[in-house]
Amino acid sequence: MHRNDGVCFTSSSFKIPLSPPSQTLASPLSRARHSLFQLLHSLRNRSLPPTTSTHSPLLCCSSLSLTAQTYNLVNAPLLCSASLALSQPYSPDSTQSGSEVPQKGQSTTTGRYDEERVLISEVLVRNKDGEELERKDLEMEALTALKACRANSALTVREVQEDVHRIIDSGYFSSCMPVAVDTRDGIRLVFQVEPNQEFHGLVCEGANVLPSKFLEDAFRDGHGKVVNLKRLDEVINSINGWYMERGLFGLVSGVDIFSGGIIRLQVAEAEVNNISIRFLDRKTGEPTKGKTKPETILRQLTTKKGQVYSMLQGKRDVDTVSTMGLMADVSIIPQPAGDAGKVDLVMNVVERPSGGFSAGGGISSGITSGPLSGLIGSFAYSHRNLFGRNQKLNISLERGQIDSIFRINYTDPWIEGDDKRTSRTIIIQNSRTPGTLVHGNQHDNSSLSIGRVTAGIEFSRPLRPKWSGTAGLIFQHAGARDEKGNPIIKDFYGSPLTASGKPYDDMLVAKFECVYTGSGDQGSSMFAFNMEQGLPVMPEWLFFNRVNARARKGVEIGPTRLLLSLSGGKVVGNFSPHEAFAIGGTNSVRGYEEGAVGSGRSYVVGSSEVSFPMLGPVEGVIFADYGHDLWSGPSVPGDPAGARYKPGSGYGYGFGIRVDSPLGPLRLEYAFNDRQAKRFHFGVGHRN
């Protein structure tokens, strides 16, 4: 419901101001009790003729005001001005009838008459002028609310007070005043009520993020009906709940009901006034000068100046800054701003050391024989915060029995001036990897390796939630070498090792990749599509197209988890034989050596795993894999799979354990294949 700026109201029949909860009703209630005590005393000691009491009804001369000056937006009911008074009008003869008027400060009558009862012959509900209510449904609401006050019942002051509260708590009346009238048939108790106005319109001020449809739905059923303050209180609580569920700093700060039945809601929303970064020392916790530029952190935040502050959005911003890898601790502290209704945000950050040297080791799955099978060592220097802009430089060297990789990697995770969070990565790499995946099992027990010199640039950015895309341009100079490091162009079987027939193949590859990730853990859903296009800029450069897709789906079944995965790909055109898809091994079909199932222009591999907890960080797993080259092995130049009698298809199954570690899951698996062979597989990290 849109704000009505064209309506001006000059009078108010009801208002609920906000003030500290310090008011008390003790004094008004005491005065009301005193009035009732006067009534009881006068009834006991009446000496006036009956006609006097008949023509001189008991009128109100003291009141109990129940105005909602202490309105709690969550728990307190909406109370309106209500009056309670039972006493006689002043008469010169009143003192002669034995009435005693307690002097100021006297309280002895309170205890004497608090539980004294008066017989009531009739109970009525009338308007404030003593006339019947126009709406009988409202009269029934008031009568239904009464609990103690019934015809032919003896009542105490306390019971009348409680029924006054019950009428007010019904929500339909802005005031209630009980009046006792001495009649020929006895004492008549009349509750004089003033119904609330009918609801005819709504004005909501200050609600910038609250949807108008939410307000329309909340008030739609009440249009044209008498305002029920109890229902209005529920609506206010629902509005406050809407803000709370979304972590927003907002609530209803005031309510007005104007003449004409117009309700005005005043909503207070805490807008972000300013956001600042405060660096804290790792040891002392005192403010210090940071190495990271504040604008590098601020641009990561989705919370902006002028927005209504959201605690949920603030938590996401804390997580985002933490994933930059620069901070050991991140927190946001909201503080009141100078302007009313605004808040300043201070982000406290503790920086990590920005760089250093490291050394380690690992296992390569491409080597399956030798005394140090698969073991590699590494040495690296990294700097994660170049120029204070979160730019990263990594220089690393990995060396194994055959493997060797020297890599220089520079990454700018967010290019300056780009509003799409585009990152840029520059790669220079010189690698030597085993060629056994495609060209293994040499009869002379010799081995060959594939040497590659690679340089390229890639750009990545989020496409939409959980989707990311990467595009790049990569140049590669690759060829095969024997054990002594000499270039070779054919293997033992006479199969070519390059597409061009020269010692090396050159290619310029345009790359595109699109990735969907679910929650991000290994058991969540994932889909990745990759395409590489060889660009024949020079006549001798390779021209081909290669596509590859992977999908994974995890399902929780009680304490166990079922993980299904499927991958496949195809390559067309002129490509190097060692770039064929290799099937079999730790990350493919377990139970086979690396690449032992086949190698082809096309492939498909499916896998299913059931994992279950065992003890602490140890979990058990049962698995089954299947792979097929789709009869494409002979189409690879030289048919290296056929020369080595690879079957082209196969399956494996088995069991194993996995242990969580700082390096990732440690996997030890024992597998059987369809050729009655058995094999252990060991790996670090999740399967590709």
Side-chain angles (χ1 to χ4, degrees), residues 439-447 491-494 642-645:
H439 298 279
N441 298 328
Q442 303 278 71
H443 278 296
D444 57 357
N445 292 323
S446 63
S447 62
D491 63 10
F492 177 83
Y493 297 95
R644 290 159 178 80
Y645 302 103

Side-chain angles (χ1 to χ4, degrees), residues 210-279:
L210 184 67
S212 59
K213 188 177 185 306
F214 183 88
L215 288 173
E216 292 171 1
D217 293 342
F219 284 93
R220 179 179 289 112
D221 295 339
H223 192 273
K225 300 179 181 179
V226 173
V227 175
N228 187 298
L229 300 183
K230 193 174 181 180
R231 168 59 183 157
L232 181 59
D233 186 63
E234 293 175 356
V235 171
I236 292 172
N237 288 337
S238 69
I239 294 174
N240 294 337
W242 185 91
Y243 283 98
M244 185 177 298
E245 289 173 2
R246 289 153 182 80
L248 296 170
F249 275 28
L251 52 77
V252 178
S253 59
V255 182
D256 297 301
I257 301 181
F258 293 99
S259 58
I262 304 298
I263 297 178
R264 181 179 68 180
L265 296 181
Q266 294 174 310
V267 179
E269 297 178 343
E271 292 185 358
V272 177
N273 180 62
N274 187 42
I275 307 175
S276 59
I277 306 297
R278 180 166 58 193
F279 295 92

Side-chain angles (χ1 to χ4, degrees), residues 503-658:
Y504 296 96
D505 286 331
D506 294 327
M507 64 188 79
L508 181 65
V509 180
K511 172 185 175 181
F512 171 77
E513 184 177 39
C514 183
V515 178
Y516 168 84
T517 55
S519 61
D521 58 28
Q522 178 64 13
S524 66
S525 300
M526 184 276 294
F527 174 77
F529 175 80
N530 178 281
M531 183 178 69
E532 297 176 350
Q533 177 63 55
L535 305 176
V537 177
M538 302 295 291
E540 63 274 16
W541 290 6
L542 302 186
F543 178 54
F544 64 93
N545 181 271
R546 179 187 181 108
V547 295
N548 192 17
R550 307 187 309 277
R552 181 184 68 221
K553 176 66 175 179
V555 180
E556 299 287 343
I557 307 176
T560 65
R561 181 176 61 197
L562 173 64
L563 185 65
L564 303 175
S565 60
L566 180 67
S567 61
K570 184 176 181 62
V571 59
V572 296
N574 189 21
F575 74 106
S576 302
H578 55 77
E579 298 288 350
F581 296 111
I583 308 170
T586 303
N587 291 314
S588 181
V589 179
R590 285 161 286 192
Y592 282 90
E593 293 186 8
E594 303 297 324
V597 174
S599 55
R601 285 180 175 264
S602 305
Y603 88 102
V604 62
V605 171
S607 176
S608 63
E609 295 182 352
V610 176
S611 59
F612 48 90
M614 294 181 64
L615 182 63
V618 181
E619 98 178 340
V621 61
I622 301 173
F623 59 84
D625 306 323
Y626 177 78
H628 200 292
D629 66 2
L630 303 179
W631 305 279
S632 63
S635 63
V636 177
D639 188 13
R644 290 159 178 80
Y645 302 103
K646 294 182 180 181
S649 66
Y651 63 85
Y653 56 92
F655 57 90
I657 61 172
R658 294 177 184 173

Side-chain angles (χ1 to χ4, degrees), residues 325-326 352-355 382-386 390-393:
L326 304 180
R352 299 179 186 270
S354 57
S382 62
H383 197 296
R384 61 171 62 93
N385 196 15
L386 285 175
N390 196 29
Q391 298 174 5
K392 307 178 188 303
L393 175 66

Side-chain angles (χ1 to χ4, degrees), residues 55-215:
H55 296 287
S56 301
L58 295 170
L59 302 178
C60 301
C61 65
S62 64
S63 65
L64 166 63
S65 178
L66 302 178
T67 304
Q69 296 178 350
T70 60
Y71 181 58
N72 186 308
L73 289 176
V74 178
N75 298 319
L78 290 168
L79 298 179
C80 307
S81 58
S83 299
L84 171 62
L86 294 176
S87 64
Q88 283 186 329
Y90 173 76
S91 170
D93 299 329
S94 60
T95 57
Q96 300 176 3
S97 63
S99 299
E100 296 179 4
V101 180
Q103 300 299 316
K104 182 178 181 180
Q106 293 180 344
S107 60
T108 57
T109 57
T110 301
R112 186 166 60 179
Y113 297 121
D114 189 45
E115 298 301 327
E116 208 163 332
R117 295 183 176 274
V118 176
L119 183 61
I120 301 297
S121 64
E122 188 178 10
V123 178
L124 299 176
V125 175
R126 296 290 184 263
N127 63 19
K128 62 180 180 178
D129 297 325
E131 301 174 352
E132 291 189 5
L133 295 177
E134 295 181 1
R135 297 186 53 167
K136 294 300 180 181
D137 57 334
L138 294 180
E139 180 178 341
M140 289 303 301
E141 290 288 347
L143 291 173
T144 303
L146 300 177
K147 182 177 180 181
C149 296
R150 294 285 188 267
N152 301 318
S153 60
L155 304 177
T156 65
V157 175
R158 185 187 305 275
E159 289 172 336
V160 175
Q161 290 172 343
E162 290 174 350
D163 273 352
V164 168
H165 282 283
R166 291 187 183 99
I167 291 177
I168 293 299
D169 289 343
S170 69
Y172 289 100
F173 306 97
S174 60
S175 67
C176 176
M177 182 172 61
V179 177
V181 181
D182 193 7
T183 68
R184 181 172 50 192
D185 298 327
I187 296 178
R188 176 188 298 156
L189 181 59
V190 179
F191 290 95
Q192 293 184 352
V193 298
E194 184 177 359
N196 295 326
Q197 303 179 65
E198 292 184 355
F199 172 59
H200 292 294
L202 174 69
V203 175
C204 187
E205 299 177 350
N208 298 315
V209 297
L210 184 67
S212 59
K213 188 177 185 306
F214 183 88
L215 288 173

Side-chain angles (χ1 to χ4, degrees), residues 27-77:
S27 297
L29 287 172
S30 178
R31 291 195 299 269
R33 288 193 189 98
H34 176 64
S35 299
L36 280 174
F37 299 150
Q38 285 184 309
L39 168 65
L40 295 173
H41 188 82
S42 63
L43 290 174
R44 182 185 297 106
N45 300 286
R46 273 185 292 178
S47 60
L48 294 178
T51 54
T52 303
S53 62
T54 303
H55 296 287
S56 301
L58 295 170
L59 302 178
C60 301
C61 65
S62 64
S63 65
L64 166 63
S65 178
L66 302 178
T67 304
Q69 296 178 350
T70 60
Y71 181 58
N72 186 308
L73 289 176
V74 178
N75 298 319

